[in-house]
Structure formats: C-alpha cells, structure tokens
Amino acid sequence: MNHSLPFRQNYRKPSRQASMDPHNDLNPHVDHFIGIDVGTGSARACIIDASGDIKALATENIGLWQPEVGYYEQSTTDIWRCICMCVQRALSQHNIDPTTIRGIGFDATCSLAVFSHDTDEPVPVTGPNFANDGNDRNVILWLDHRPVEEAKKINATEHNLLRYLGGKMSIEMEIQKCSGSRTICHLSSLIDASSTIWQMP
C-alpha cells in the first residue's frame, strides 16, 4: 500500500539583502575624523572620512545666562556635556564605529573660563554673592560687556601696542575682563593664586 508523504514546502532560508540605507552599513575599515566647534549658542560635531566627505553632523544648544544687561555667562560643565552629546549622537545615528576615529580637532569662541587652581572645579563669575547655583556658571562669554571702565582706562593710555588692535581695545577682548573681574565683579578669586583663568581659543 502506497502511503503518500505529507506535503512539505521546500524551505529556503531567505537571503539577507543589503540595506538600502547607508546609515545601516557599518564599515570598520574606513578611517574617520571628528571636528568639534564650540560656538556662541551651540556645540557642533562633524565626522568626515579620510577623503574629506562628511559622514555625520550633530548639534546641541549651549545654555546662556544673562544676570544683568550686558552680562553673558556660560558653563564649561554644560559645554562639555553638549560636546559629548554631539559626538555620541553623530556616531550612533550614523552607525560609525568609534574604533575607526583617528583624530579629533577643536575650535571655540574666544571666552574666559575660570577654575580653581587647586581642584580644577569651576569658579562662578556671577555676582554679587558668586555662589554656585548648581549650573557652574564659570564662563564670561566673549560678547560680555561688563568691563566698560576698564576698556576706557586702557584706551586712555594711548599705548603704542594699541596700534596692533586698530588703535583701540575692544570691550569684548580679554585683558580688561581679567582686570575688571576684581573691580566690577569684586571676585578676587578670579585673579589671585587660588584660581586659573583660561581663554577658550
């Protein structure tokens, strides 16, 4: 007696087709480079390959405080957070293997950042109490216009070196902000031996 076997459809494991989205293709053999730009209002990360082609972009807004008219402050803690978020987002959203990163370049706005010389902790620049409100507001932004009198005093000297600055020292430059930190902000820790002032290039 013939017994027919149950019908079984031939099973073939479907082949995995290549993704049409290049963001899903991970190529660990391609070298990448990260460029980070810290601007006035945001931090930005750009990832390129060895040919110079842009592979990923990401942006994160930086916090800005204006305690008084003409005063503009930021936080290096917040800036670093924004930088990290940009880089992580650019890598993950575009599926770039972090081990392929071969170099990182930075540029930033010309602002002043203040840290404790002993602990490297941020030193607040916000008067009148200069207490840390939890935001580590230790950056005097380049567009801050608090040292008005200091800029006038420097320009009144008519020093020969001012000719390299167009004849006058702009209120947005750093020298008068350092000297003004004591006279305007009454924050001696900005310029004494216990603190360090960094210029963000």
Side-chain angles (χ1 to χ4, degrees):
M1 182 176 180
N2 293 329
H3 296 281
S4 60
L5 296 174
F7 174 77
R8 297 182 185 275
Q9 185 175 6
N10 290 332
Y11 176 77
R12 176 182 295 178
K13 186 176 181 180
S15 61
R16 184 177 180 181
Q17 296 181 351
S19 171
M20 299 300 292
D21 186 352
H23 294 165
N24 294 331
D25 297 332
L26 185 63
N27 189 347
H29 304 294
V30 177
D31 291 339
H32 293 95
F33 304 86
I34 301 177
I36 297 171
D37 173 37
V38 180
T40 302
S42 64
R44 298 171 285 272
C46 174
I47 301 179
I48 64 173
D49 62 16
S51 299
D53 294 330
I54 295 177
K55 296 301 180 181
L57 293 169
T59 302
E60 185 70 19
N61 290 334
I62 297 172
L64 176 65
W65 291 268
Q66 190 177 4
E68 299 181 29
V69 176
Y71 284 43
Y72 295 91
E73 300 170 357
Q74 290 183 331
S75 163
T76 53
T77 302
D78 182 56
I79 292 172
W80 183 248
R81 178 191 64 83
C82 293
I83 291 172
C84 294
M85 290 185 66
C86 284
V87 173
Q88 292 171 356
R89 188 182 305 131
L91 289 170
S92 62
Q93 290 184 353
H94 297 270
N95 208 24
I96 296 174
D97 185 352
T99 64
T100 65
I101 302 300
R102 297 292 177 260
I104 301 178
F106 276 87
D107 73 83
T109 58
C110 191
S111 300
L112 293 179
V114 186
F115 299 90
S116 168
H117 181 73
D118 296 327
T119 65
D120 291 331
E121 292 296 319
V123 175
V125 296
T126 308
N129 299 322
F130 304 100
N132 195 333
D133 61 359
N135 292 308
D136 295 336
R137 293 158 58 178
N138 65 321
V139 175
I140 300 178
L141 199 59
W142 65 268
L143 54 79
D144 187 283
H145 280 196
R146 70 186 68 183
V148 176
E149 295 303 319
E150 281 67 24
K152 289 181 179 179
K153 290 179 181 179
I154 293 174
N155 290 326
T157 66
E158 298 183 351
H159 195 282
N160 188 44
L161 290 177
L162 291 175
R163 74 181 190 275
Y164 297 108
L165 304 173
K168 287 186 176 181
M169 177 79 71
S170 168
I171 194 174
E172 295 175 351
M173 292 182 176
E174 294 77 19
I175 294 178
Q176 61 269 18
K177 288 179 180 176
C178 290
S179 63
S181 296
R182 185 187 295 273
T183 58
I184 295 178
C185 302
H186 306 290
L187 183 58
S188 60
S189 62
L190 285 180
I191 52 178
D192 65 20
S194 66
S195 297
T196 302
I197 297 178
W198 290 89
Q199 175 183 337
M200 297 169 63

